[in-house]
Amino acid sequence: MPLIERLPKKQRHQHLLKLIEANPFVTDRELTRELKVSIQTIRLDRMELGIPELRERMKQMAEHSYDQVRSLPLDEVVGEVVDLQLDKSGISIFEIREEHVFSRTHIARGHYVFAQANSLAVALIDDEIALTASADIRFLRQVHLGEKCIAKAYVRSMNGQKGKAKVEVFTYVGEEMVFQGNFVIYRSTGEDNIEGGM
Amino acid sequence: MPLIERLPKKQRHQHLLKLIEANPFVTDRELTRELKVSIQTIRLDRMELGIPELRERMKQMAEHSYDQVRSLPLDEVVGEVVDLQLDKSGISIFEIREEHVFSRTHIARGHYVFAQANSLAVALIDDEIALTASADIRFLRQVHLGEKCIAKAYVRSMNGQKGKAKVEVFTYVGEEMVFQGNFVIYRSTGEDNIEGGM
DNA sequence: TACTGTTTTAGTACCAGGTTCTAAATAGAT
DNA sequence: ATCTATTTAGAACCTGGTACTAAAACAGTA
């Protein structure tokens, strides 16, 4: 019953975990070359650590991405739309996370706040294709990591079927307004009447 | 040489394509039950249609999602800055890919084009912290899947150390201007002199 | 030194989900 | 009937494993 000096195994386990995390596509055989142990040891280690075999790892990744892709169409909108009255008004919520901020300052990058507002403005328009033509925006104060942005959008005008819609968006964190934007959205009812737009 | 009535095969091919698209995780054996043909026929069909085996499909999906995750952290700046003269001008290139477009129309979502311009405008300012205060933007024409956006930014004015910088950005696809924006960027030289900004 | 227990290695059988190849059965048109 | 395309069958082989048995190598200790 060796009490001391049983570290190499634990160290190998750590090493193994790192190797597989670094490259989930590595086979057991490739790992033997890296860790200088037999393939059986690799397999025992994987069992102890609960790491599934290569094919299972790939399957899980594939299923994961498939689920994501399935839900991506919802991602045409940045932020979660919690209320939507087409051609009238809408509300969306967007939480600022690690990936949305400048790592140094933890302040949200402007384009995410813009993206939320833009997405909501576009979603509001009940039309085949709705694209942003122009926007006039103000960032009123910085938004920080962890803050929840609540964007409220209102359609201010709608001219005809081949026209532009004006949408005003206000984004709040709590009581404070952090962003304000006036969007002009092109609404094409199928025709090629767009001169510009996104 | 059967000239007529050779449709069942083509129909089966169509059916097969749809089944695999609907569920990429289906095995050949499962497909035999759906299509009422032998497993060899399924395999011949897959070959003719160039559809890889289940494991290869899963591997490709896994690699795809892995690549996506890998490339996300590079996103502090949207687009690749290819030229940068701090406080003067800069150029960045951004290729519109699948994940940047509306899946239905293949037109780029506006906020990506904005993000490229915004990122470049911020990168241009040689300061500790640079945040977008406001912007006035125009989307001049749609940008489509596969197009390369070349954004050129110029600093138009700079007032003092605690001031705002005005940056003008033009984005082109080839010769065509697709976006134009006037950004006001706050440059804080460490102090807390920002009233707003991203 | 011999005994004990852990750890590592080796080897075999087996599995899923295929590929590759050869060959036979079947269908359809002429 | 015959010719050709299509479909089916079967066997050998592949990868990257699992499951299991068994032997060796190591360590600590009595």
Side-chain angles (χ1 to χ4, degrees):
Chain A
M1 201 191 285
L3 290 172
I4 332 171
E5 289 300 339
R6 272 147 71 253
L7 293 147
K9 189 178 176 181
K10 294 207 171 182
Q11 282 179 343
R12 195 183 55 238
H13 280 191
Q14 290 311 308
H15 197 168
L16 185 67
L17 280 167
K18 275 178 194 162
L19 285 171
I20 291 180
E21 194 188 352
N23 176 20
F25 298 95
V26 70
T27 63
D28 287 356
R29 188 155 303 283
E30 285 163 351
L31 288 166
T32 63
R33 295 197 269 275
E34 207 75 26
L35 295 170
K36 309 285 186 193
V37 288
S38 71
I39 204 163
Q40 282 78 0
T41 301
I42 299 287
R43 286 168 179 172
L44 278 174
D45 286 356
R46 268 201 301 101
M47 280 201 197
E48 287 183 50
L49 293 167
I51 300 171
E53 62 168 293
L54 169 60
R55 281 159 174 168
E56 188 55 32
R57 294 196 299 269
M58 292 198 304
K59 187 181 179 188
Q60 283 174 15
M61 291 174 76
E63 278 169 343
H64 182 75
S65 76
Y66 191 62
D67 290 350
Q68 282 201 329
V69 170
R70 292 264 108 165
S71 67
L72 250 185
L74 297 171
D75 212 273
E76 297 241 327
V77 173
V78 170
E80 191 189 353
V81 177
V82 293
D83 181 64
L84 193 67
Q85 291 172 274
L86 287 169
D87 291 337
K88 284 183 186 161
S89 67
I91 296 175
S92 100
I93 296 181
F94 178 54
E95 187 183 338
I96 302 298
R97 291 209 309 272
E98 201 65 57
E99 61 265 40
H100 308 127
V101 302
F102 289 104
S103 48
R104 207 157 29 78
T105 59
H106 285 186
I107 295 173
R109 284 171 246 169
H111 45 263
Y112 281 104
V113 176
F114 172 82
Q116 177 190 21
N118 183 55
S119 292
L120 181 59
V122 168
L124 211 53
I125 303 304
D126 183 18
D127 222 317
E128 276 286 295
I129 299 171
L131 301 166
T132 311
S134 65
D136 198 350
I137 59 182
R138 296 284 174 275
F139 295 98
L140 305 170
R141 84 143 166 83
Q142 308 97 298
V143 181
H144 301 93
L145 182 59
E147 291 186 319
K148 271 203 180 65
C149 293
I150 311 214
K152 299 183 182 182
Y154 307 92
V155 174
R156 294 306 188 198
S157 73
M158 296 275 294
N159 19 346
Q161 61 251 60
K162 56 181 339 207
K164 308 169 182 180
K166 288 186 184 168
V167 180
E168 197 166 13
V169 183
F170 305 96
T171 305
Y172 300 86
V173 169
E175 299 291 288
E176 266 185 295
M177 196 188 292
V178 297
F179 171 94
Q180 187 266 323
N182 284 294
F183 292 82
V184 176
I185 307 289
Y186 273 116
R187 42 193 317 250
S188 124
T189 330
E191 300 93 63
D192 244 11
N193 51 14
I194 323 176
E195 56 192 75
M198 291 284 155
Chain B
M1 203 191 285
L3 288 174
I4 330 175
E5 290 299 339
R6 272 147 69 254
L7 293 149
K9 187 176 176 182
K10 295 208 172 186
Q11 282 179 344
R12 196 183 54 238
H13 280 191
Q14 291 309 308
H15 197 170
L16 186 67
L17 281 167
K18 275 179 194 160
L19 285 170
I20 292 182
E21 194 186 356
N23 175 19
F25 299 94
V26 70
T27 63
D28 288 356
R29 187 155 303 281
E30 285 163 353
L31 287 165
T32 63
R33 294 198 271 275
E34 206 76 25
L35 296 172
K36 310 284 189 196
V37 287
S38 71
I39 202 160
Q40 283 78 0
T41 302
I42 299 288
R43 288 170 178 170
L44 277 174
D45 286 356
R46 268 200 302 99
M47 280 202 200
E48 287 183 51
L49 294 167
I51 300 171
E53 62 168 293
L54 168 60
R55 284 160 171 166
E56 189 54 32
R57 295 196 298 269
M58 293 198 302
K59 186 180 178 189
Q60 282 173 16
M61 293 173 75
E63 280 171 343
H64 182 74
S65 74
Y66 191 65
D67 289 350
Q68 282 203 331
V69 171
R70 289 264 108 165
S71 67
L72 259 180
L74 296 171
D75 228 64
E76 284 253 328
V77 171
V78 171
E80 189 190 353
V81 177
V82 293
D83 181 65
L84 193 67
Q85 292 172 273
L86 287 170
D87 292 336
K88 285 185 187 160
S89 68
I91 296 174
S92 101
I93 296 182
F94 179 53
E95 186 182 340
I96 302 298
R97 291 209 308 273
E98 202 64 60
E99 61 266 38
H100 309 127
V101 301
F102 290 105
S103 48
R104 206 160 27 77
T105 58
H106 286 183
I107 294 174
R109 285 171 244 171
H111 44 265
Y112 281 105
V113 176
F114 172 81
Q116 177 191 21
N118 184 53
S119 291
L120 182 59
V122 168
L124 211 53
I125 302 304
D126 183 18
D127 222 316
E128 275 288 293
I129 300 169
L131 301 166
T132 311
S134 65
D136 199 351
I137 59 183
R138 297 281 174 276
F139 295 98
L140 305 171
R141 84 142 164 83
Q142 309 97 295
V143 181
H144 301 93
L145 182 58
E147 291 187 318
K148 271 203 180 64
C149 293
I150 313 227
K152 300 184 181 181
Y154 307 93
V155 175
R156 294 309 190 198
S157 73
M158 297 274 293
N159 21 347
Q161 62 254 61
K162 57 185 330 210
K164 308 168 182 180
K166 288 186 183 168
V167 179
E168 197 166 13
V169 182
F170 305 96
T171 304
Y172 300 86
V173 170
E175 300 289 290
E176 266 185 294
M177 197 187 293
V178 296
F179 171 94
Q180 187 265 324
N182 284 295
F183 293 80
V184 176
I185 309 289
Y186 273 117
R187 42 194 315 251
S188 123
T189 330
E191 297 94 63
D192 244 11
N193 51 14
I194 323 175
E195 55 191 74
M198 290 288 153

